[in-house]
Amino acid sequence: MNRPAILALEDGSVFHGTAIGADGQTSGEVVFNTAMTGYQEILTDPSYTRQIVTLTYPHIGNTGINAEDVESGAIAAAGLVIRDLPLLASSFRSEQTLSDYLAGQNVLGIADIDTRRLTRILRDKGAQNGAILAGADAEGEDAVARALEAARAFPGLKGMDLAKVVSCQSPYAWTEGEWTLGQGYADTAEAERPYHVVAYDYGVKRNILRMLASRGCRLTVVPAQTPASEVMALNPDGIFLSNGPGDPEPCEYAIAAIRELLETGVPIFGICLGHQLLALASGANSVKMKFGHHGANHPVQDLDSGQVMITSQNHGFTAEESTLPETLRATHRSLFDGTLQGIERTDRPAFSFQGHPEASPGPRDVAPLFDRFISMMKERR
């Protein structure tokens, strides 16, 4: 039997649909993602913490779920909004349906709504605080009023420090390499790994670690609040600043640590939130975007070579190019809206990129950024 579900936005917009996944109530910032594939990676990306993800592609769930295509240990998104859930999941790798996957992790979802109308609202008005009520919670004459109340009660992501919430609790080693069809993920434990990289976990995606491991990096992943002195005690060849959710400005512990690490001369590479934190640690400012960048088809230009790459994006905050100090220069820029996509220090071996090079939408357009990091460590040696 179909279970009812309600999606409400803070502006008063209400959508009635069908519940997929768990029953109950959830709230968060509602954003839209234009990717046609990769819904499993999107759901498990820690950068989507406290966000309800709307997927604009109409058919979601048609390839099912498998144990390999995950970016973290659990679903990170606060909820899922889709147009249509196919009755049949068809893939030789499928192990579970999307609805069962959501229900098994107590995550709410809503289907059978007009995602085009919803996307236009988010595009025109900006990302909205919202709430989903599913199952028995979505029944009753006051269900809509309760949904609107829950949506308006969400405080918003501005000023919200989520990196320390999603981060690991203690350091650990990572040895899993990149995936090959028919073979699975490589084990790099016995491979030659000449470079020791300490990776800050602000909400790191597993494929970032895999791409570093496959390039000869021995990885030690540390919690977000690890002091710079403890990182340097590990004698790293390079330091990686990971992706993650929330507002970068409240992450004062990370900004302070990065400032100290910049003075050591150890090569630093940042992605997504790590990019924003490097900018803040260097003296730039960040700002909340209207609806952010969420998708797998975003063109970004390398300002040095003029090359245009197709990138995967997931961020709601951006470093402001107009505030870059003399020690920072812009290296990449979005061709959608001109926002800053890459920076490098002019006085230190440190650089960062806003998009997600590990997501492979090009499919390998942005992978050379990892090779640049390796070259920097090799040069320092």
Side-chain angles (χ1 to χ4, degrees), residues 61-200:
N62 45 5
T63 55
I65 298 291
N66 65 77
E68 291 183 319
D69 293 349
V70 294
E71 291 292 352
S72 65
I75 294 175
L80 178 66
V81 181
I82 64 173
R83 173 66 186 91
D84 177 64
L85 179 69
L87 294 176
L88 177 66
S90 179
S91 169
F92 72 99
R93 300 177 66 220
S94 178
E95 301 166 358
Q96 191 179 24
T97 66
L98 174 59
S99 56
D100 287 345
Y101 182 56
L102 293 170
Q105 298 201 29
N106 199 33
V107 176
L108 276 67
I110 181 172
D112 299 327
I113 74 162
D114 187 350
T115 51
R116 293 173 299 178
R117 175 190 162 217
L118 173 58
T119 301
R120 288 192 182 102
I121 292 172
L122 301 178
R123 181 193 64 191
D124 295 342
K125 296 184 178 181
Q128 295 268 314
N129 296 333
I132 298 175
L133 272 58
D137 284 50
E139 298 174 346
E141 295 180 359
D142 64 339
V144 170
R146 286 186 283 110
L148 287 168
E149 181 181 4
R152 290 164 179 162
F154 183 71
L157 293 184
K158 178 67 176 173
M160 191 175 288
D161 176 4
L162 295 175
K164 63 185 180 184
V165 175
V166 302
S167 179
C168 61
Q169 299 302 306
S170 58
Y172 63 92
W174 180 274
T175 59
E176 188 175 83
E178 293 182 86
W179 183 84
T180 303
L181 180 63
Q183 300 177 25
Y185 292 109
D187 184 359
T188 67
E190 302 301 323
E192 183 180 358
R193 295 182 294 165
Y195 307 108
H196 182 207
V197 172
V198 175
Y200 269 101

Side-chain angles (χ1 to χ4, degrees), residues 31-95:
V31 299
F32 65 89
N33 186 305
T34 57
M36 296 174 67
T37 61
Y39 54 83
Q40 190 171 341
E41 290 91 334
I42 291 168
L43 285 170
T44 55
D45 179 355
S47 296
Y48 278 115
T49 300
R50 301 307 302 271
Q51 290 186 309
I52 296 172
V53 183
T54 302
L55 297 176
T56 61
Y57 188 70
H59 302 293
I60 300 297
N62 45 5
T63 55
I65 298 291
N66 65 77
E68 291 183 319
D69 293 349
V70 294
E71 291 292 352
S72 65
I75 294 175
L80 178 66
V81 181
I82 64 173
R83 173 66 186 91
D84 177 64
L85 179 69
L87 294 176
L88 177 66
S90 179
S91 169
F92 72 99
R93 300 177 66 220
S94 178
E95 301 166 358

Side-chain angles (χ1 to χ4, degrees), residues 182-235:
Q183 300 177 25
Y185 292 109
D187 184 359
T188 67
E190 302 301 323
E192 183 180 358
R193 295 182 294 165
Y195 307 108
H196 182 207
V197 172
V198 175
Y200 269 101
D201 177 13
Y202 305 128
V204 68
K205 294 174 70 176
R206 290 178 175 176
N207 209 45
I208 292 175
L209 301 177
R210 294 179 189 123
M211 293 184 77
L212 289 169
S214 292
R215 284 165 169 77
C217 295
R218 178 169 59 89
L219 288 158
T220 302
V221 184
V222 298
Q225 294 177 282
T226 304
S229 58
E230 292 185 18
V231 169
M232 292 309 299
L234 297 171
N235 193 29

Side-chain angles (χ1 to χ4, degrees), residues 1 118 166 186 243 259 328:
M1 294 178 63
L118 173 58
V166 302
N243 64 289
R259 283 184 182 141
L328 278 182

